[in-house]
Amino acid sequence: MSFNTFGRVFRFTTWGESHGPALGAVVDGCPPGLSLSEADIQPFLDARRPGTSRFTTQRQEPDAVRILSGVFEGRTTGTPISLMIENVDQRSKDYSEVAKAYRPGHADYAYDKKYGFRDYRGGGRSSARETAARVAAGAVARLAIPEVTLIAYVAELGGDCIDPARFDAAEIARNPFFCPDPEAAKRWEAKVDAARKAGSSLGAVVECVATGVPAGWGAPLYAKLDSELAAACMSINAVKGVEIGDGFAAARLSGERNADPMRPGANGDPEFLANHAGGIAGGISTGQPVVVRVAFKPTSSILTPVETITRQGDASEIITKGRHDPCVGIRGTPVVEAMVALVLADQKLLHRAQCG
Amino acid sequence: MSFNTFGRVFRFTTWGESHGPALGAVVDGCPPGLSLSEADIQPFLDARRPGTSRFTTQRQEPDAVRILSGVFEGRTTGTPISLMIENVDQRSKDYSEVAKAYRPGHADYAYDKKYGFRDYRGGGRSSARETAARVAAGAVARLAIPEVTLIAYVAELGGDCIDPARFDAAEIARNPFFCPDPEAAKRWEAKVDAARKAGSSLGAVVECVATGVPAGWGAPLYAKLDSELAAACMSINAVKGVEIGDGFAAARLSGERNADPMRPGANGDPEFLANHAGGIAGGISTGQPVVVRVAFKPTSSILTPVETITRQGDASEIITKGRHDPCVGIRGTPVVEAMVALVLADQKLLHRAQCG
Amino acid sequence: MSFNTFGRVFRFTTWGESHGPALGAVVDGCPPGLSLSEADIQPFLDARRPGTSRFTTQRQEPDAVRILSGVFEGRTTGTPISLMIENVDQRSKDYSEVAKAYRPGHADYAYDKKYGFRDYRGGGRSSARETAARVAAGAVARLAIPEVTLIAYVAELGGDCIDPARFDAAEIARNPFFCPDPEAAKRWEAKVDAARKAGSSLGAVVECVATGVPAGWGAPLYAKLDSELAAACMSINAVKGVEIGDGFAAARLSGERNADPMRPGANGDPEFLANHAGGIAGGISTGQPVVVRVAFKPTSSILTPVETITRQGDASEIITKGRHDPCVGIRGTPVVEAMVALVLADQKLLHRAQCG
Amino acid sequence: MSFNTFGRVFRFTTWGESHGPALGAVVDGCPPGLSLSEADIQPFLDARRPGTSRFTTQRQEPDAVRILSGVFEGRTTGTPISLMIENVDQRSKDYSEVAKAYRPGHADYAYDKKYGFRDYRGGGRSSARETAARVAAGAVARLAIPEVTLIAYVAELGGDCIDPARFDAAEIARNPFFCPDPEAAKRWEAKVDAARKAGSSLGAVVECVATGVPAGWGAPLYAKLDSELAAACMSINAVKGVEIGDGFAAARLSGERNADPMRPGANGDPEFLANHAGGIAGGISTGQPVVVRVAFKPTSSILTPVETITRQGDASEIITKGRHDPCVGIRGTPVVEAMVALVLADQKLLHRAQCG
């Protein structure tokens, strides 16, 4: 089955392939009356856009979004919002090699086994280009949760971590790595350059922090806020792990060390003395910052030959030439942020449905 | 919102609280004609059952399951299968302290903020007792995927890892820790004993491996096999992280190191030379073993006093007396296995729906 | 596929067969804090209960409901509410005839073709006994929509209509036919008696009117209030038609005759001069009474022999002995009312989700 | 809430307003490998297209569909199929009157009450133009059910019925009324002309018959084939009633008269001696033709002044000038057919999911 819709009441459906004429998203269930124009969406697409530095794929896509429905006189009407992005730079290329043999780590083999054949041009539906549609939808979701501030950044690249002591949110937009630590950004520049030149690739860990989420969003048991965040982030291309708060590190702490003590705070809300839980308890937000960590594997497209088989099952070798991101986690950063926004908008509406 | 249903076509809905008369699950969408009786379910409940060793909570629950519908003359009819487990040992206890003050790390505060009040007896709906219903449903799911062999075990406890070289699947059932490494099991015995006596608690990492999953299960994009597994596992009590295959470790590998090369194998299927991907590419199974890793935080119920606030917002301190698991990850093992079975059964049916 | 869940945010799942140990419903998504006990549900079950007059099946079922979860100290907690009704009078009977041959008009043949076999005792899952679970769930739904007043009645029985001029809501509870017209009730008594004695059966039309539904519930396009009502009512056993407002009669009116003119009314709301639309325009409530009409076919169980085939495909004849309702539409009345309540509760919550 | 998606595994989502730049549908879950191009869809859109005779609205829309995704080398890939239709003839018009006052029978008032405001140009989202997207999606659905033959026609117009004795399927495409009875078609021509000239409007009843549906599609209990058909058809603009088989007429029959006796037939399947049930028993297809009847109210747009109120609540009067269908049921015929195709495709896949 193909399920290209995400969300329960604030929902979006994406469509489109890497080398089709366009891709897009339909956002359904958005509250009416929100001020919305292309200008609210474009900056987020621009942040994700390829070709903006030598550290990402050189495919040139303006990723200009058009709103085709759901907005009247500058405001959302409550009806579905259709967002379309045309594919422009579908470089004429010889895909015969990819058509014939499977690229390990890519969806090639799995798609063929599932569907019997595949659109092999640039990965077809499994291309990370689809994430442009998510980012566009996420920009709409943000408008539905004005109480929330989202920040996402690369916390680790090729195994090299940022120094929390040097964390500066303002740095994130100043380097091509969404890196909040200027020292790390410098090191990563060399690292990514080296990988790119060697035809190799690197993984990364993206962190997203949502502040302003009020206590009470989320749901027992199978639409838990953390469960939805895990589904949302694990659905992003190349993602292999998701953590909430301390994540796997929490499994190494004692109960005392992992506790998030509370004391009376300002204006009636508790003050929490720690946030190991990442802002979620029992699947429901606690009012603390919601913290998600996402592991991106290294890009599977590399210039080193890898043993593989052809569609006919014969032994072969493949190298993936052409344009690709040496570290797909970098441009994954705005995608993680978008997915978190989409989950939070949905959970806000779900909470309102049941609890008024 | 409260969404207590999981799955898309093979679905289950759970209900029940820690201290209500019973809890249960309704399994819907199960294929007809499968041989099913209570005896197919009970062993899995017994594996999860509390009170079987000094390393788990001392609550005594027979966890005897009854099938109330959906089975006729020993076979599933295709109609909903209602499973009920009575709560027996709802020990008469004074819950006034838990009613008054919030236990940090528990869902107490979040539930109160969401719903305005809560069933505070033993955690109510947020109690891990709910996972008995999942295990019962999972036992039914297994019957729908006879081609798959599932194995789950604790791979790390309190930061102490098993030695893969000593991995012996037969060991898992021989110790109270679901530990496949007899040496590690011995060390953990001491470790958990110490924690228990100190009124402390420990975290754990559970691994689940599904072999026999054919290539082609899963779906782009928001019902990806990995995305569904992440949602399923993150919805389990005390879970803070989920990995597929190498997970976060993959983020530290180069593209070459992370590749899973393929070569022609027996009977037409490829032979994979590695499984960094954990058996999933592009959200779809590759035919390799599906590997999931799940991080459980240490139990939040500890005897060390933790700073907290009362329902009225006053400063207080709480210690969680009473019966609890010193390491909730241990009994989480059959729960992870059940959730993986439930996801796979659903994905098998979804695949069949679209691809025949 | 078997989908035994209805609703989008206020959802319920039913389970159980005619001759199993019990049947039930799990209500999920109910707002927290509503006062709820068995006493709020039982009267609605009693209204639907068999065996209360000679005009319905003589099966004796107390239909006593138990609440197994989701309620604490007399109030709904926001977690799933499990409702169970035990089957008591599963009269020992010889089902060999039904097991061997298909009863025309019943689900026997269709079930066998779908599932390969069936629970033939009393219709199994396709028995109208399942509607007890709906009525129980509907009683919970009513608590979530206190602003709405529901009334359902039989408007036509065996082709004999009530006289709107004699409509008296107080009459409905005074006769065994849910008939608001005392004269019609008398005629129907003779009619149903005659059918019963002849081993024949009769159809009926049930009407349900919901007043107090505010303008704005419902949704374009595929969760329209009228679309959801149609799905809900058409899912009831023996139902073959659903109308909103004037329904099929509207297809015979001119646009002028079908108009529902508006004029300024009290307290800012419009006064409508007619209600051909049955309170719904564009899929959304207008604030007028919501009017639904539901056609029940005559009970398929009759004493007249009907030509049929056996499971083996041989020619046969069957008469349906045993207990049955000579007019299933009568006891369908509380079921229609319950389904309307369930749809309205869901739509209220959905409206709140999107529009605050 | 706004739910613009229909279906469970074969799903479609529509978007677009009457006077926006375009409208469309995203079809998700379609089986892979089906041959599909615009030429498979266009004929169905042409049948629904406005402006083709004087009996429908004079809006001139080519309704040319573009496939933007999900097809590769002429075959469906299993990924979402995005279909777009540009709006061409958004005639510049003065909508100030519609903006100010509510048209009775239209969604104007309900939308304003729900969303706080509305896109009033041509009805916005509530315009029947949306049905073009359904027809496009339906054309794709037909490809997934090649075993089924669909036929839809107007059976009654303005209260004037076709004569079953003169039924000729070949006639349907020969007149502008989708009328299978040439005599009736002549009478309707005069009827519709008169209504059109008088600025009045007429209702209609559309019938759709699906032959070739195998026994076994459908599901207890809330995804019953008849329940899904009812929801699908009742969601079409201007529909006020849905019947399966004999529908309301069945409520007037005795059990004997309503029976569909079976006898052994050719190739092992039963031969049915009647089809009062419309091909569905217990929510599941029986192998007989599936028969659905749908009541369309007369178009609410008429030239006779109707009493109404303004947005401010003041008394007013409105006449609906401009282009409209004098009998919206006529062009509703291909829409009903499309919705039936969409439901059947979904049910086929659902059946395959559970029953293999």
Side-chain angles (χ1 to χ4, degrees), chain C residues 1 3 109 114 130 156 200 216 218-219 222 224 227 231 235 240 242 244 250 252 256 263 270 277 298 307 350-351, chain D residues 1 3 109 114 130 156 200 216 218-219 222 224 227 231 235 240 242 244 250 252 256 263 270 277 298 307 350-351:
Chain C
M1 270 309 309
F3 272 97
Y109 173 72
K114 182 173 192 69
E130 184 267 348
E156 181 183 326
S200 180
Y222 304 110
K224 282 179 166 180
S227 175
S235 78
K240 302 303 286 185
V242 181
I244 304 295
R252 283 142 213 157
E256 302 83 73
R263 65 170 64 144
E307 218 176 323
L350 283 168
H351 176 65
Chain D
M1 271 307 308
F3 272 95
Y109 174 71
K114 181 172 193 71
E130 184 268 347
E156 181 183 327
S200 180
Y222 303 110
K224 284 181 164 178
S227 174
S235 77
K240 302 303 286 184
V242 181
I244 304 295
R252 281 140 215 160
E256 302 84 72
R263 66 170 64 143
E307 219 176 323
L350 283 169
H351 176 66

Side-chain angles (χ1 to χ4, degrees), chain B residues 105-188:
Chain B
H106 281 278
D108 300 355
Y109 173 71
Y111 265 61
D112 259 17
K113 292 299 279 187
K114 182 173 192 69
Y115 297 119
F117 76 118
R118 71 188 193 281
D119 178 351
Y120 45 74
R121 300 165 305 161
R125 180 68 179 152
S126 73
S127 165
R129 251 200 90 55
E130 184 268 346
T131 60
R134 304 183 186 219
V135 168
V140 178
R142 301 171 90 99
L143 300 175
I145 47 168
E147 61 273 67
V148 175
T149 304
L150 285 168
I151 181 172
Y153 46 88
V154 178
E156 181 184 326
L157 192 153
D160 183 10
C161 297
I162 58 168
D163 178 348
R166 270 196 299 267
F167 186 98
D168 177 0
E171 277 298 317
I172 296 171
R174 289 197 198 117
N175 61 68
F177 306 109
F178 300 100
C179 177
D181 168 357
E183 303 281 315
K186 265 180 236 156
R187 298 194 306 267
W188 296 355

Side-chain angles (χ1 to χ4, degrees), chain A residues 100-182:
Chain A
K100 272 191 315 200
Y102 298 122
R103 296 167 300 166
H106 281 278
D108 300 355
Y109 173 71
Y111 265 61
D112 259 17
K113 292 300 277 186
K114 181 172 194 70
Y115 297 118
F117 76 118
R118 72 186 192 283
D119 178 350
Y120 46 73
R121 300 166 305 162
R125 181 68 179 151
S126 73
S127 165
R129 253 201 87 57
E130 184 268 347
T131 60
R134 304 184 187 219
V135 169
V140 179
R142 302 172 90 99
L143 301 176
I145 46 167
E147 60 273 67
V148 175
T149 303
L150 286 168
I151 182 171
Y153 47 88
V154 178
E156 182 183 326
L157 191 153
D160 182 10
C161 298
I162 58 166
D163 179 348
R166 271 198 298 267
F167 186 99
D168 177 1
E171 277 298 317
I172 297 171
R174 288 197 198 118
N175 60 70
F177 305 109
F178 299 100
C179 177
D181 167 356

